[in-house]
Amino acid sequence: MAGHSKWANIQHRKGRQDKLRAKLFSKLSKEITVAAKMGDPDPDKNPRLRLAVKEAKGQSVPKDVIERAIKKSLGGEGENYDEIRYEGYGPGGVAVIVEAMTDNRNRTASTVRSTFSKNGGNLGETGSVSFMFERKGQVSYPGDVGDADTVMMAAIEAGAEDVESEEEGHIIWCADTDLNDVSNALETELGESESTKLVWRPTTTTELDLEGMQKLMKLLDALEEDDDIQNVTANFEASDEVMAQL
């Protein structure tokens, strides 16, 4: 899974957990509020909200934080957020998709543009890189839920498309429109997932050396720092040797 799981591994290794976790909680809460505002505040009647709550629980967001985020939508509190996707190229010609949720389009566009240009990238038009990705549902489980065959059987039964199993965990892929049904079916067989979300899965990748990865990470880090940015995906590929040196 080029770009996605590797990026998560890098973030994990860099020891920025606490800072990242605080940001992650706030981003997940924002998604819950927006999902509840756009549909029904009852997760059972609102698939997007159900997925947002599931993802938040998988990331250990406390129950009261989740409930507060839903209540925020009911009270008409909180800003009205626009969802915007930015696309561009990072160092080494790596394709980058940035998903934002903002109450000020001009501020976010200006910040994203300058972050790209300051870090050796350039922002393109919408559609300039997304053709190199597919929108997919991604469900992650830890390695100890079962061996590759067990997880594969559960995934097939659930209607998933593909499974990637490694020692540290399993990633189950499905069509974006099937994520809610597939994740519910998997939960019955394997228990609660670590993560359930819609992602951009690269269909083509760009290999980077150590210097290229270091430059790209500066850009990805800077984008992740911005409170308006919900998700950042890049289609890089790097060898295990390069990853180990980061």
Side-chain angles (χ1 to χ4, degrees):
M1 172 50 198
H4 229 85
S5 54
K6 280 190 176 175
W7 175 226
N9 292 345
I10 296 167
Q11 288 180 312
H12 192 75
R13 276 217 298 270
K14 288 174 77 187
R16 294 162 63 230
Q17 254 78 335
D18 293 343
K19 192 175 175 188
L20 280 172
R21 187 148 289 277
K23 281 218 177 286
L24 182 63
F25 278 19
S26 118
K27 289 177 183 190
L28 291 169
S29 297
K30 195 194 274 190
E31 167 62 22
I32 289 169
T33 302
V34 168
K37 221 172 193 174
M38 287 172 68
D40 195 290
D42 178 355
D44 290 335
K45 298 175 187 167
N46 182 338
R48 176 170 172 176
L49 178 58
R50 186 158 63 245
L51 286 173
V53 168
K54 197 178 272 190
E55 176 66 5
K57 284 179 177 170
Q59 299 293 339
S60 309
V61 176
K63 195 177 171 188
D64 62 316
V65 174
I66 293 171
E67 285 169 359
R68 206 160 49 237
I70 294 174
K71 278 193 185 130
K72 211 171 172 184
S73 75
L74 292 171
E77 284 180 65
E79 303 75 6
N80 284 316
Y81 292 109
D82 288 326
E83 295 180 87
I84 311 166
R85 187 174 84 230
Y86 300 97
E87 301 180 24
Y89 287 94
V94 169
V96 181
I97 293 180
V98 179
E99 292 169 284
M101 219 176 251
T102 179
D103 57 356
N104 185 326
R105 281 172 170 264
N106 292 340
R107 176 191 67 221
T108 309
S110 160
T111 305
V112 171
R113 190 174 297 282
S114 76
T115 303
F116 266 88
S117 59
K118 280 180 194 164
N119 292 282
N122 58 301
L123 196 58
E125 298 295 316
T126 303
S128 59
V129 305
S130 54
F131 67 91
M132 291 185 256
F133 297 80
E134 292 175 314
R135 193 68 166 152
K136 289 289 179 190
Q138 183 196 67
V139 186
S140 305
Y141 277 94
D144 59 12
V145 297
D147 61 21
D149 288 343
T150 305
V151 174
M152 177 64 83
M153 285 308 297
I156 291 168
E157 289 286 318
E161 295 178 345
D162 191 16
V163 181
E164 291 173 14
S165 291
E166 291 178 4
E167 260 180 59
E168 62 269 21
H170 310 275
I171 296 176
I172 297 155
W173 297 99
C174 64
D176 55 346
T177 49
D178 294 343
L179 179 58
N180 190 47
D181 292 342
V182 169
S183 65
N184 287 340
L186 285 168
E187 206 167 290
T188 308
E189 288 297 314
L190 302 173
E192 280 205 19
S193 63
E194 279 186 325
S195 171
T196 299
K197 57 189 174 183
L198 287 168
V199 300
W200 292 96
R201 187 184 193 186
T203 53
T204 170
T205 57
T206 300
E207 176 100 25
L208 292 179
D209 59 11
L210 180 59
E211 188 187 349
M213 274 305 298
Q214 287 167 335
K215 285 179 181 171
L216 177 66
M217 279 177 57
K218 276 184 76 177
L219 169 63
L220 300 184
D221 274 343
L223 288 166
E224 288 271 6
E225 284 292 311
D226 193 296
D227 290 336
D228 292 338
I229 306 302
Q230 291 289 99
N231 298 298
V232 181
T233 312
N235 73 339
F236 67 86
E237 187 67 73
S239 69
D240 291 341
E241 291 74 31
V242 167
M243 297 294 284
Q245 291 177 70
L246 290 169

